[in-house]
Amino acid sequence: MALKLKGDIEINNIPTSKLKALKINLNKHIYGTFAEIGAGQETVRNFFRAGGASGTIAKAMSAYDKDFSDAIYGIEDDKRYVTEKRLKKMLSYEIELIEDRLSRKKHPEKMFFSYANTVTTIDFAKKFKGHGWVGIKFQLDPLEDYNEIILHIRFKETDAKLQQETLGTLGVNLIYGAYYLNDKPKELLKSLYDNLHKIQIEIDMINFAGPRFSYVDNRLMSLLLVRNGMTNAVMFGPDGNNLLPAQQLYKANILALRGSFRPVTKVNMDMFKLAEKMFFNENKVDKENSKIIFEITLTNLSSEGEIDERDFLDRAELLCSLGQNVMITNYQEYYKLVEYFSEFTKARIGLAMGVYNFVQIFDEKYYRNLSGGILEAFGKLFFKDLKVYLYPLKDQRTGEIKTSENLKVHPRMKELYKFFKYNGKVVDIKDYNPDILDIFSRTVLKMIANGEEGWEEMLPKGVAETIKDERLFGYSRRKFAKLK
């Protein structure tokens, strides 16, 4: 062992792809198949080159031809091949095949697995960098049911050969993590970038399933993708499973409501319902092809610089109970959020927000990093087919109701504001309930923390019951019982 000197800094020794593959190969119980489509057979190549591959690889294949692929895995309804549905078919088919062809009596100790990917690398014109689905279905005990990890990637490199090599390294990391880090899903997530850099590849969705991951909350895994810098935005549905933003938002009309939702109040839901009604009444909006998103930024999740995971899950639990799609982003500025949406759709985008947040958009300090300053930001924000639905604010000191007609921005920004106002980019939300304008999430949260009564009336129907039943936001029956 080398000497440890005074002043030495501990360095994490990340095993190379070759060492990871070799460790898998030398385990006589791990045995499975590789099915790779779209970027060569880069993952299995690492296992062949590491040595001892005969003890791990039952079969390696790549059905590049579409007719061959359809004959093996079936024809998809949408005729597409780089989809989550296709990947799941590949994983299930290969597991069924290995179970059918290899006798458990002959291999009683074998832990079977199936690794698969279906991807498209950068096109010849280098316009689309490519993306794909990667997954593994595996056992950790011969008598145990299969676990599954599925993720979606977006390539960032501009060379097909480099993308193939990156995919191969990622595949090795996934298989190694599945077997040796399955008890530490957070570490497993980080390990996917071992021997890789975030400028090479983006992971924007991951789902864990199976008996060994029954305790894993995929919403928390979504949050970690953003917090770890693996992607800038993730999305999950009412069932708690992660969704692929690109798939959900593709060519869709989008209405986004940003907030802390800590917890969801009557004001939040009043803003949402009224903005939704106005949005659907727009001529350019197809209700059947629309997505409503409750968006939370990392800034809104941070408390004293740290993200409270329990607090995040409490918010997620409430929004999911209301049947909402939730998006977590790393976009503090609204123009970046709109730019992100514009990657997937050219249809109408709507933002529902309160007067206070809208006025902050006109603060120049948020755009000092842009060479074009606030004008560049506003060009990106309003250049697309965007409309802001503005919810009123009640001045707590004077009682005056602030709307788009009487809100105050910095004198230098007045003419800029008037331009967007008169061009119909900003519209007031009408028919709001004036009796709820005094409700604030921070007030409700403080009342719950202090064991005060009366906060239930400030929340939408059913939300208070969810908070009590699930013990969200520090709610304690014992605390409130002392008041009786």
Side-chain angles (χ1 to χ4, degrees):
M1 179 180 287
L3 289 173
K4 185 175 181 180
L5 301 179
K6 182 179 180 180
D8 281 347
I9 297 174
E10 289 293 331
I11 299 175
N12 290 327
N13 291 317
I14 297 174
T16 64
S17 295
K18 182 177 181 179
L19 285 176
K20 285 188 175 186
L22 182 61
K23 185 169 183 178
I24 294 284
N25 284 348
L26 295 180
N27 187 310
K28 62 183 181 180
H29 300 312
I30 300 175
Y31 201 60
T33 63
F34 293 76
E36 304 183 69
I37 298 177
Q41 293 184 279
E42 293 301 310
T43 301
V44 76
R45 183 167 66 92
N46 283 282
F47 288 86
F48 278 127
R49 289 187 170 185
S54 60
T56 297
I57 303 171
K59 183 187 75 172
M61 66 165 293
S62 184
Y64 261 63
D65 184 86
K66 292 181 179 180
D67 291 333
F68 269 79
S69 184
D70 288 340
I72 297 169
Y73 303 116
I75 302 174
E76 303 297 332
D77 295 334
D78 56 9
K79 310 295 183 182
R80 296 167 63 201
Y81 295 87
V82 186
T83 65
E84 181 180 16
K85 188 176 179 181
R86 190 61 163 193
L87 178 77
K88 286 187 173 183
K89 274 189 178 181
M90 293 169 68
L91 291 171
S92 297
Y93 176 88
E94 297 300 339
I95 283 296
E96 289 172 8
L97 201 61
I98 198 170
E99 288 276 11
D100 181 59
R101 293 183 177 178
L102 297 182
S103 168
R104 281 292 184 182
K105 290 183 179 179
K106 185 178 179 181
H107 304 283
E109 300 298 321
K110 293 291 187 185
M111 298 181 293
F112 293 143
F113 75 88
S114 172
Y115 167 85
N117 64 51
T118 173
V119 305
T120 175
T121 54
I122 192 167
D123 64 337
F124 186 75
K126 298 190 183 296
K127 185 177 180 182
F128 303 103
K129 290 185 179 179
H131 71 106
W133 293 88
V134 183
I136 182 171
K137 205 176 183 77
F138 64 103
Q139 289 178 306
L140 289 168
D141 187 282
L143 301 177
E144 191 175 272
D145 200 3
Y146 286 88
N147 304 284
E148 189 176 81
I149 306 173
I150 288 178
L151 53 98
H152 181 265
I153 60 170
R154 298 172 74 183
F155 291 113
K156 292 186 175 183
E157 293 165 310
T158 56
D159 180 84
K161 182 175 181 291
L162 293 178
Q163 290 182 352
Q164 291 172 356
E165 292 172 355
T166 294
L167 180 65
T169 301
L170 177 72
V172 173
N173 289 340
L174 176 60
I175 297 169
Y176 183 88
Y179 279 105
Y180 294 106
L181 294 171
N182 58 78
D183 62 331
K184 301 173 183 176
K186 293 180 184 178
E187 293 302 314
L188 191 161
L189 198 65
K190 289 181 180 179
S191 75
L192 294 175
Y193 277 91
D194 286 355
N195 306 302
L196 292 173
H197 195 280
K198 295 179 180 68
I199 62 172
Q200 295 175 268
I201 200 167
E202 174 184 347
I203 301 174
D204 56 0
M205 199 211 82
I206 189 166
N207 273 320
F208 293 80
R212 294 297 178 102
F213 299 127
S214 59
Y215 66 94
V216 174
D217 193 314
N218 282 312
R219 296 169 298 190
L220 180 56
M221 294 299 107
S222 262
L223 171 63
L224 295 177
L225 285 177
V226 181
R227 189 173 73 175
N228 294 342
M230 298 175 178
T231 188
N232 286 314
V234 291
M235 192 172 175
F236 56 85
D239 61 0
N241 275 328
N242 295 335
L243 304 171
L244 180 63
Q247 188 172 299
Q248 296 294 314
L249 306 178
Y250 184 66
K251 291 185 177 181
N253 301 115
I254 303 169
L255 176 63
L257 174 68
R258 171 175 286 185
S260 62
F261 309 116
R262 195 175 180 239
V264 181
T265 67
K266 285 184 176 179
V267 172
N268 295 135
M269 295 311 292
D270 194 43
M271 185 191 304
F272 153 62
K273 289 177 180 177
L274 294 174
E276 181 187 51
K277 183 178 179 181
M278 294 173 69
F279 187 65
F280 288 157
N281 284 335
E282 298 278 353
N283 292 329
K284 294 184 177 181
V285 174
D286 177 7
K287 184 177 179 180
E288 300 303 317
N289 186 38
S290 296
K291 290 292 179 181
I292 309 298
I293 298 170
F294 280 61
E295 186 249 356
I296 309 174
T297 67
L298 281 189
T299 305
N300 273 332
L301 287 172
S302 301
S303 176
E304 298 178 357
E306 294 293 327
I307 293 176
D308 186 335
E309 292 178 359
R310 181 66 259 168
D311 179 66
F312 162 71
L313 290 175
D314 287 349
R315 302 190 218 187
E317 192 69 34
L318 277 188
L319 291 170
C320 288
S321 72
L322 293 170
Q324 302 301 330
N325 290 318
V326 180
M327 178 173 278
I328 311 299
T329 76
N330 200 24
Y331 301 123
Q332 185 175 358
E333 297 88 355
Y334 275 102
Y335 79 87
K336 290 183 179 179
L337 178 64
V338 172
E339 268 193 312
Y340 176 73
F341 289 154
S342 299
E343 289 182 32
F344 311 112
T345 184
K346 294 181 180 178
R348 169 62 57 86
I349 299 172
L351 297 176
M353 67 177 78
V355 167
Y356 177 78
N357 287 333
F358 182 69
V359 171
Q360 283 190 314
I361 291 178
F362 287 84
D363 193 330
E364 292 181 278
K365 71 180 181 183
Y366 296 114
Y367 315 109
R368 288 170 183 161
N369 62 316
L370 294 177
S371 58
I374 193 170
L375 291 179
E376 181 181 341
F378 273 54
K380 293 177 177 180
L381 180 63
F382 288 104
F383 173 72
K384 303 296 181 181
D385 195 6
L386 176 87
K387 185 168 283 190
V388 174
Y389 301 94
L390 202 60
Y391 195 80
L393 171 70
K394 183 178 180 180
D395 190 311
Q396 296 299 297
R397 185 173 55 85
T398 65
E400 181 184 13
I401 303 297
K402 301 283 187 179
T403 67
S404 68
E405 300 297 334
N406 62 349
L407 61 82
K408 293 181 180 180
V409 298
H410 193 281
R412 289 200 302 270
M413 298 293 110
K414 277 187 178 181
E415 297 305 317
L416 186 61
Y417 167 68
K418 287 180 182 179
F419 173 79
F420 297 119
K421 168 66 177 173
Y422 293 150
N423 279 281
K425 295 291 188 179
V426 182
V427 293
D428 286 310
I429 293 177
K430 309 288 187 181
D431 303 322
Y432 60 89
N433 183 357
D435 297 331
I436 65 174
L437 294 182
D438 292 315
I439 296 176
F440 297 94
S441 292
R442 60 179 179 272
T443 303
V444 177
L445 195 65
K446 186 176 180 180
M447 292 175 73
I448 295 174
N450 294 336
E452 300 176 34
E453 293 185 326
W455 55 271
E456 294 92 340
E457 287 72 29
M458 300 180 182
L459 307 183
K461 184 178 179 181
V463 171
E465 288 72 20
T466 302
I467 290 176
K468 292 176 180 179
D469 293 342
E470 303 294 333
R471 304 291 200 276
L472 306 181
F473 300 105
Y475 176 83
S476 169
R477 294 188 186 279
R478 184 181 301 174
K479 186 190 301 180
F480 284 90
K482 294 178 181 178
L483 300 175
K484 304 298 183 183

